Amino acid sequence: MASAHVFSRGGAERVRVDHGRGAELVDVEGRRYLDAAGGAVVVGIGHGVTEVVEVAAAQASRVAYVHGSAFSSEVLEEYADALGPLLPLENPRIYPVSGGSEAVESALKMARAYHLARGEDRDVVIGRHGSYHGNTRGALSVSGRQGLRQPYLPWLTGVAHTSTPYEYRCPFPEAHPDGCARRHAEALEAEIQGLGPARVAAFVAEPISGAGLGACVPPDDYWPAIAEVCARHGVLVVADEVMTGFGRTGAWFGGDHFGLRPDLLVAGKGTASGYWPLGLAVASGAVHDTLREGGFVHGFTYSHHVVGAATGLAVLRVLQREGLVEASARQGERLHAALRRELADVRVVGDVRGRGLLQAVELVADPATREPFERSERVTERVLEACREQGVLVYPGTGCADGRRGDLLLLGPPLVVTDDEVDRIAAGVAQGLRDVLGGVGAGG
Ligand code: PLP
């Protein structure tokens, strides 16, 4: 019997997990699952890596907690020094927190405080339609997912939203594909001009869209054009790498594919691979120095956590030693090809997209017109369950097409996923789709 005292997530009663190894999870009844989304695209180094657990336990035995304003620690400094050269910012300074939303909140405050320290009262942040940056108020404000924002709209202030590259449903069809990056840059420029450039503190975006729109890779000329607009108006670029960071897309950071050098960067998820709730807000040296001069006041009880730093460092060492960023690029290509092959005869598959081991399948009622399913058909939810029946766990997404409609399966397995597991993931997803979509007009 499930406890009556857990405020559980979602309505359905969940099977209890027992243990995990690599890309596999086993429940208390002995059923095995391929964790094809690493939970919520979190687990990079795989489940059950005991060396990371041992490092965390050893650190907790020595000292588990000190307040970040009272003490630094050797392990935190070692972690920052090891990570620094991999981060795509000039002279980066890391501010460790407890997750992605906290990291976003921290970066938003850093952006405003940076301008205040320079004597500029900039009060608006620009996000993008369809984006996801977290569920706390600031992070939800800058997010663009209508369904999540709607109930809290009166609380979501100080933001504006601009267009997002979504190649399958490009908002600028007349300019697509060669001219749409320019159109996105013009849209951002117009938004900044409309608000008044002196009011815009930052532009916040995922270098490759994650959960909201489903692994949308922008055109190569998108980020250079966007960065140029921001630089011209003194608008800080905040790269949200919570989902795309730490090798997920086959590069250390998603922005690396485009030469993006942000002013602020946020990370989470893969940072400690689920072994510790660790997020990072990272400032460039220039932003950091200005914040310091301005007397930036911020902090959480658990920021700069010693066990978090030890765990993050241990995970980083595994990523480096095992070559998992390269593995993500390689296995991502295999997964993409396997999905295309297995799903070729499934009529409702509109698009298969992504980079590295961040891949998405968009399902549509009519592939010719790209018309999405009605939400009432609950296609994503049903396919998710059918994939689970096949022993493959995928991450759902809804609302990509118009804020409400649009069905996505997001795939982001641990970067240690084997060839055989990649093939089984693709086959399981295809079978799950066929099992469900008999009822909604599928071929295949
Ligand atoms: N930013 C992005 C791009 C995310 O994908 C997420 C979570 O899915 C967040 C921020 C929020 O992170 P968290 O759930 O750890 O607060």
Side-chain angles (χ1 to χ4, degrees), residues 99-102 104 132-135 206 211 240 242-243 269 395:
S101 299
E102 269 192 12
V104 171
Y132 183 63
H133 300 292
N135 260 327
E206 303 151 273
D240 183 342
V242 170
M243 191 171 277
K269 298 186 184 273
Y395 193 66

Side-chain angles (χ1 to χ4, degrees), residues 5 19 32 56 77 80 104 116-117 136 161 257 300 329 351 373 399 419:
H5 298 293
H19 66 276
R32 314 179 91 82
E77 286 166 29
V104 171
L116 284 176
T136 51
H161 291 88
H257 295 293
F300 303 107
D351 195 23
F373 287 107
D419 289 357

